[in-house]
Amino acid sequence: MGLIRFAVEPATLLDDLPEAYRGYLTGSDGRVFVTRIEVQEAIIGCHRKTSESCKFHVAWPVTGFGRPVIATASLSEREQPYLLPLELARGKIVQLRNQAGEWELSGMTIPPDFVDSSRLAFRAFAKAASRQNQPEEATRLSNEALCHACAAAEILMIGYSSQTFLNRLQRFGSLPASIGCELHQAPPHPDADELFAAAFNSATVACAWEKIESKEKNYDWTYCDQQLDWCEKRKLLVKGGPLIDLGPHGLPSWLARGQHDRFYLEKLACDFVKMAISRYFGRIRIWEVATRLNSGGALSLSEEDLLTLVVRVLDVARQLDEETQLLIRIDQPWGEYQARGQHRLSPMQLVDALLRSSVGLAGVNLELAVGYLPRGSAYRDLLDISRLIDMWSILGVPLHATLACPSSSDDDALASESWEVEPRMWDREIDETGQAEWIERILELLLAKQSISSVSLAHFSDGDSHTFPQAGLLRADGTPKAALERIMIQHQRNKRQD
């Protein structure tokens, strides 16, 4: 078994670093290793089954930037522990320089401010590297380097997003990507109609099996019918789903008695998919068939069982309507959950297997639920998100994105009990301004990506039953949050330019 160790000086820093236990190791090719973390005094020990070089990913406090996940450069095992902040600074600077060089070669104009911040980061890092015999001073300088590196990454991403976005807009006249929102329960209140229309040109009709058939053979399509009628009257592009949620508590509870009979479950799932697509045949042409296939958790199904089930339902859906577009949703798309050792295949390997099986998969929806525990994605900067999208683009199918970000860390009685807000991801309290800024920045980045076909927000109003706490664009009383105005502005920019 391999072991790689990191020193943290002073040791008291670990008293306020519970994120260390959620750190994980990856190979040079991005594979997530099964990782066991041990913390003893000032040393973080990372155990894995292999002894090859690896990168350590961990959330780290950076002044002015919260606690983003940062990765070290690729490191080999050695007897002496590595100084963690120094290696995090090294990894960030290497990532930053490589990406800037790649984009500059492709024709991007690198902002002058980026060069200044990047130079300051390297200068501080060089001083830290030369003072490793003074761990606390090296830590101070490493943290300074990280601060400059994160500032440089932010400058670089603002420049990349704005330049690429304008290039895409000029090429197509209007962006070939929709901005939408998922609907839950009844359609938006009439008072919110104009707000929705000003922000979105698409909507997702919720057709969750767990909600529609909460009791066996007792179907309730009321909300789905109302939502679809509402969307059609407003001439919105309509998506349906997710039909089958393979996460914990995502399937109807009455299925538990048949959880050990895989064929019985497959038949019931296929029957429901047939019923949903047949009911809205010709009215919904984009279906998100399944979600959380990769992380799983439904009814103790194995990874193989989940994959087989999704192949079956995709095949059934394609036979019903060969013209419809079939999607699946991937949660936690970085795959950090693999570090627990309960999954054999990475998220990309699962999707690649579906594509190779020729079941008609037309695209992938990446769920970016940032700031949620235990099944959301840890907070990362825009450079990491950009690299994630580029990595998934290799599959050669259209990508979609679903965004969720909290506007408060207060309790949310209408949200799923399976989720809670991570209150420490930013340098300030979780608030509506932070949510608005994050959505604005990531929306412009995603719309600049050629592979992105649509972006959706997880839900419209916190006054409806929903999954992610405090992620709505309307407060529970129906008043708009700051994020909604930012989306409206972005929507107007997407329209054809005269």
Side-chain angles (χ1 to χ4, degrees):
M1 177 176 288
L3 170 64
I4 189 165
R5 300 186 302 158
F6 296 94
V8 177
E9 296 287 349
T12 52
L13 288 176
L14 287 171
D15 295 337
D16 190 39
L17 195 68
E19 295 88 351
Y21 292 94
R22 298 197 290 271
Y24 62 95
L25 299 171
T26 64
S28 57
D29 58 356
R31 288 174 299 141
V32 177
F33 294 131
V34 177
T35 308
R36 180 168 60 86
I37 302 292
E38 289 183 348
V39 178
Q40 295 182 349
E41 297 181 350
I43 303 296
I44 300 174
C46 305
H47 299 264
R48 66 202 190 287
K49 294 181 180 179
T50 179
S51 295
E52 64 183 90
S53 297
C54 60
K55 299 179 180 181
F56 182 48
H57 302 248
V58 67
W60 185 261
V62 181
T63 302
F65 296 92
R67 293 175 179 245
V69 170
I70 302 174
T72 68
S74 186
L75 303 171
S76 60
E77 286 189 12
R78 70 179 191 185
E79 184 65 26
Q80 180 184 0
Y82 291 97
L83 185 62
L84 180 56
L86 178 69
E87 298 307 327
L88 293 175
R90 188 196 309 272
K92 193 64 183 177
I93 291 171
V94 168
Q95 179 197 56
L96 193 61
R97 289 191 163 190
N98 287 345
Q99 189 64 79
E102 180 181 327
W103 282 341
E104 188 172 24
L105 285 174
S106 68
M108 175 183 166
T109 301
I110 301 299
D113 290 347
F114 165 80
V115 177
D116 295 336
S117 293
S118 180
R119 184 181 296 114
L120 289 172
F122 183 76
R123 187 175 299 165
F125 168 75
K127 291 180 181 178
S130 65
R131 300 181 188 179
Q132 294 185 62
N133 60 338
Q134 305 172 47
E136 292 196 19
E137 176 64 8
T139 293
R140 183 189 69 79
L141 289 166
S142 298
N143 286 330
E144 181 183 331
L146 277 170
C147 185
H148 289 305
C150 288
E154 188 171 87
I155 294 168
L156 180 67
M157 293 312 303
I158 291 173
Y160 169 82
S161 297
S162 61
Q163 292 178 42
T164 311
F165 179 87
L166 287 175
N167 289 339
R168 196 178 185 196
L169 195 61
Q170 290 169 0
R171 178 182 177 187
F172 293 100
S174 60
L175 285 183
S178 61
I179 304 177
C181 191
E182 296 185 8
L183 300 177
H184 296 262
Q185 295 187 327
H189 190 274
D191 292 343
D193 271 14
E194 291 186 7
L195 293 175
F196 195 99
F200 306 113
N201 55 15
S202 70
T204 300
V205 173
C207 297
W209 187 10
E210 188 269 335
K211 299 293 184 183
I212 292 171
E213 194 182 1
S214 58
K215 295 181 180 179
E216 188 172 6
K217 297 182 180 179
N218 185 5
Y219 301 93
D220 184 359
W221 301 93
T222 303
Y223 285 141
C224 298
D225 293 342
Q226 292 176 354
Q227 291 170 11
L228 184 54
D229 290 343
W230 184 86
C231 291
E232 290 178 335
K233 288 178 181 177
R234 287 150 186 81
K235 298 181 180 180
L236 297 172
L237 174 66
V238 181
K239 303 177 187 176
L243 295 175
I244 299 176
D245 185 344
L246 297 171
H249 314 297
L251 295 177
S253 58
W254 53 266
L255 282 171
R257 64 174 180 267
Q259 62 178 299
H260 301 298
D261 187 341
R262 177 169 60 84
F263 300 104
Y264 169 73
L265 175 59
E266 288 177 7
K267 177 184 180 302
L268 293 175
C270 290
D271 288 345
F272 175 75
V273 170
K274 287 179 185 177
M275 188 177 300
I277 294 180
S278 299
R279 183 181 183 89
Y280 300 117
F281 185 84
R283 300 177 69 190
I284 298 180
R285 307 311 301 268
I286 305 174
W287 282 102
E288 192 171 306
V289 176
T291 183
R292 300 192 174 92
L293 156 69
N294 55 309
S295 60
L299 302 180
S300 302
L301 293 171
S302 69
E303 199 172 47
E304 182 180 354
D305 291 340
L306 293 171
L307 185 58
T308 303
L309 173 62
V310 172
V311 168
R312 284 286 308 276
V313 297
L314 282 169
D315 190 46
V316 165
R318 183 185 61 170
Q319 291 178 26
L320 280 172
D321 186 357
E322 293 186 353
E323 300 298 322
T324 195
Q325 297 181 45
L326 303 177
L327 314 177
I328 62 165
R329 182 183 301 192
I330 297 295
D331 66 318
Q332 303 176 75
W334 281 274
E336 57 262 50
Y337 57 86
Q338 292 179 271
R340 298 192 296 269
Q342 299 171 359
H343 300 79
R344 182 172 58 88
L345 299 176
S346 72
M348 283 193 68
Q349 287 174 324
L350 282 169
V351 174
D352 185 58
L354 291 174
L355 292 171
R356 291 175 184 272
S357 65
S358 302
V359 289
L361 184 64
V364 180
N365 186 358
L366 302 178
E367 181 180 274
L368 302 177
V370 172
Y372 293 101
L373 298 173
R375 298 174 64 87
S377 294
Y379 174 57
R380 291 171 170 84
D381 68 7
L382 290 180
L383 178 54
D384 274 333
I385 295 174
S386 174
R387 293 171 66 86
L388 174 80
I389 300 302
D390 292 344
M391 179 183 71
W392 278 90
S393 300
I394 295 172
L395 293 174
V397 295
L399 300 180
H400 306 255
T402 295
L403 310 181
C405 178
S407 61
S408 170
S409 57
D410 294 341
D411 291 338
D412 188 340
L414 294 177
S416 170
E417 295 180 357
S418 303
W419 304 81
E420 63 181 67
V421 174
E422 165 56 83
R424 295 156 53 91
M425 65 174 178
W426 292 330
D427 238 12
R428 62 184 186 213
E429 290 186 1
I430 304 296
D431 60 15
E432 293 182 8
T433 301
Q435 180 199 42
E437 291 175 353
W438 184 83
I439 288 177
E440 180 182 37
R441 291 197 301 267
I442 192 172
L443 194 57
E444 182 161 315
L445 169 63
L446 293 174
L447 293 174
K449 294 290 186 180
Q450 297 286 345
S451 56
I452 292 291
S453 293
S454 73
V455 181
S456 294
L457 279 298
H459 68 268
F460 189 52
S461 173
D462 285 338
D464 295 331
S465 176
H466 49 269
T467 300
F468 302 106
Q470 308 290 352
L473 305 174
L474 299 182
R475 305 181 189 94
D477 62 5
T479 56
K481 300 179 185 178
L484 186 58
E485 182 180 355
R486 306 290 181 95
I487 298 171
M488 290 179 183
I489 294 172
Q490 189 69 63
H491 186 193
Q492 294 302 315
R493 291 183 64 193
N494 294 351
K495 294 183 176 180
R496 183 172 296 276
Q497 305 294 301
D498 295 330

